[in-house]
Amino acid sequence: MITRGLVVALSLSQFVCWGISYYLIAVFGVEISRDLDWPMTVVYGGFSGALVIMGLVSGRVGRWVDRYGGRRVMCAGSVLIAIGCLGLSQAQGFILYGLSWACLGLAMRMTLYEAAFASLARIGGPGARRPISQVTLLGGLASTAFWPIGYGLISLVGWRGALIAYALIALLTLPLHWSIPDGRHETSQAGGQKHPPPLAQSLADKRAASFLYMAMVTVSSFLNSAMSAHMISIMAYLGMSAGIAVWLSSLRGVGQSSARLCEIIFGGRLHPLALGVLATAILPASFLLGVGASGSALAGASFAFAYGASNGLITIIRGTQPLVLFDPRSYGALVGQLTAPSFISSALAPIAYAALIETAGAANALILSAVLGGVVFLSALLLWGRFHARAASQAG
């Protein structure tokens, strides 16, 4: 049974784990490059390597959650985040730096949304949709909180001391993850509650649903990774001062959590496939706002907020659409397989955008992002078009 306490615990853990792992490079990258005299491509290459590791282990970690439950997997991930941050804090050369990021890659796959969603699906089955939305609420504020926190810690104790502090913070998530129950949906559902069958029944439907879902999450993850690593620098290239760029970029997190709060309050009757169309329609529009943001703090804020709102809703549909499309009993393994390419695409994004911004400029990077956002929207639209009639008949 998914309790309110469990939702709160996982919400807090997502807030912390995203802030001290995935969003780490945007704050620490420049400091590490300057101190160790490494090119930015090498520094960001560590983060990209971590995302490759996430993709390689994605299916296996999903099967671990299906088999052993989220408690053991996510607790182990907390420890690995601490080890990875400690390793980075001591890095003087490429070997320890790379190994530390590899450790963080495995840790992120064991602690971030995919692991939390699979844990909830294992406990609640199709009834995990609302808890999945609720768990993402605080996670959306991770960049808003931890980018300024990271900068503050660096100014106080340097980047190495700040990473040691991050390692200690990671250990605080252990009791949160230990609160995850070991039960399964089959043995814990109350009153024999019935749920609609999966929308994708035939082999052709399963293949179409898998391809379109995978395309949607792969391209959106590429954009998310690029913006996580470079939104601050893009704001700076568009004419914002360093301090303004940080605070404007932090509005992305406000947009994420605001959109998720609206979904929790008002979106209960909106099918995950319809929500996918709405969420992805905002994506290309947000980047077009960014193209016109040169020197304008208001336009920059609109870009960051709109992109955050779209990305926040996409995170929800990434977790909830498989609950209605496929059999939730194999949620962890199946979603692990379908999202594996998204981690690989995420690994390419920071380096690709670093080169693109340097050679073609931030405005052209945003135009490309708008085109890719259109691909995400088309995938969601085709997915809705194939299955919305069946979903409506189930609801009726």
Side-chain angles (χ1 to χ4, degrees):
M1 180 180 179
I2 300 176
T3 64
R4 183 176 299 178
L6 175 61
V7 171
V8 171
L10 285 178
S11 297
L12 289 172
S13 85
Q14 292 305 295
F15 174 71
V16 173
C17 289
W18 276 95
I20 62 176
S21 60
Y22 193 91
Y23 292 124
L24 183 157
I25 191 65
V27 179
F28 289 82
V30 173
E31 299 297 327
I32 294 173
S33 174
R34 182 184 298 120
D35 186 47
L36 298 178
D37 196 26
W38 289 353
M40 287 297 289
T41 52
V42 172
V43 174
Y44 278 100
F47 177 63
S48 295
L51 297 179
V52 170
I53 295 297
M54 290 181 75
L56 293 176
V57 302
S58 182
R60 184 176 296 274
V61 173
R63 290 192 294 273
W64 288 347
V65 176
D66 283 341
R67 180 178 300 177
Y68 304 113
R71 174 187 293 175
R72 294 169 180 80
V73 173
M74 297 188 75
C75 281
S78 296
V79 175
L80 289 175
I81 290 180
I83 293 172
C85 288
L86 282 176
L88 287 179
S89 75
Q90 303 304 308
Q92 300 287 348
F94 300 135
I95 294 178
L96 181 56
Y97 184 77
L99 289 175
S100 299
W101 272 115
C103 181
L104 282 171
L106 177 58
M108 287 190 288
R109 182 56 185 87
M110 296 170 71
T111 56
L112 300 186
Y113 283 141
E114 278 72 23
F117 295 164
S119 300
L120 291 170
R122 185 179 188 271
I123 301 166
R129 177 191 171 180
R130 185 168 179 81
I132 283 175
S133 299
Q134 293 169 335
V135 159
T136 65
L137 190 58
L138 272 182
L141 294 172
S143 60
T144 302
F146 278 90
W147 279 347
I149 288 172
Y151 275 104
L153 286 172
I154 290 170
S155 66
L156 289 174
V157 295
W159 68 269
R160 295 184 186 275
L163 283 169
I164 293 173
Y166 271 27
L168 295 175
I169 293 171
L171 296 178
L172 297 178
T173 64
L174 277 169
L176 300 175
H177 293 150
W178 190 255
S179 68
I180 301 171
D182 281 331
R184 290 181 179 272
H185 171 63
E186 291 88 348
T187 59
S188 62
Q189 57 185 341
Q193 183 181 0
K194 300 297 183 181
H195 295 283
L199 294 176
Q201 292 286 329
S202 68
L203 180 60
D205 280 347
K206 290 177 182 177
R207 286 176 174 173
S210 297
F211 175 78
L212 292 171
Y213 173 82
M214 184 167 59
M216 183 178 62
V217 300
T218 298
V219 180
S220 63
S221 294
F222 179 86
L223 291 171
N224 181 44
S225 177
M227 291 303 105
S228 296
H230 294 291
M231 180 171 277
I232 295 174
S233 61
I234 285 175
M235 290 289 189
Y237 276 113
L238 291 175
M240 315 297 174
S241 68
I244 294 296
V246 171
W247 285 106
L248 288 181
S249 298
S250 296
L251 289 175
R252 161 189 166 160
V254 177
Q256 287 183 157
S257 288
S258 297
R260 290 169 183 170
L261 180 60
C262 289
E263 196 281 333
I264 291 170
I265 297 174
F266 304 111
R269 296 185 179 180
L270 191 63
H271 195 275
L273 298 183
L275 180 63
V277 175
L278 172 63
T280 57
I282 305 171
L283 190 60
S286 69
F287 290 114
L288 294 178
L289 283 171
V291 173
S294 181
S296 169
L298 179 60
S302 300
F303 156 51
F305 186 89
Y307 171 73
S310 176
N311 191 61
L313 294 176
I314 289 172
T315 301
I316 291 176
I317 63 173
R318 180 175 178 139
T320 58
Q321 285 189 350
L323 288 173
V324 297
L325 289 170
F326 310 110
D327 186 349
R329 290 175 295 182
S330 57
Y331 182 102
L334 180 60
V335 173
Q337 292 172 356
L338 295 180
T339 58
S342 72
F343 297 117
I344 306 299
S345 72
S346 297
L348 299 175
I351 296 176
Y353 266 66
L356 179 62
I357 292 169
E358 185 175 349
T359 57
N364 285 323
L366 289 172
I367 291 172
L368 174 63
S369 300
V371 173
L372 293 176
V375 174
V376 178
F377 171 63
L378 179 61
S379 299
L381 189 63
L382 291 173
L383 195 59
W384 176 82
R386 187 174 184 107
F387 294 104
H388 81 278
R390 192 173 302 165
S393 66
Q394 288 182 356

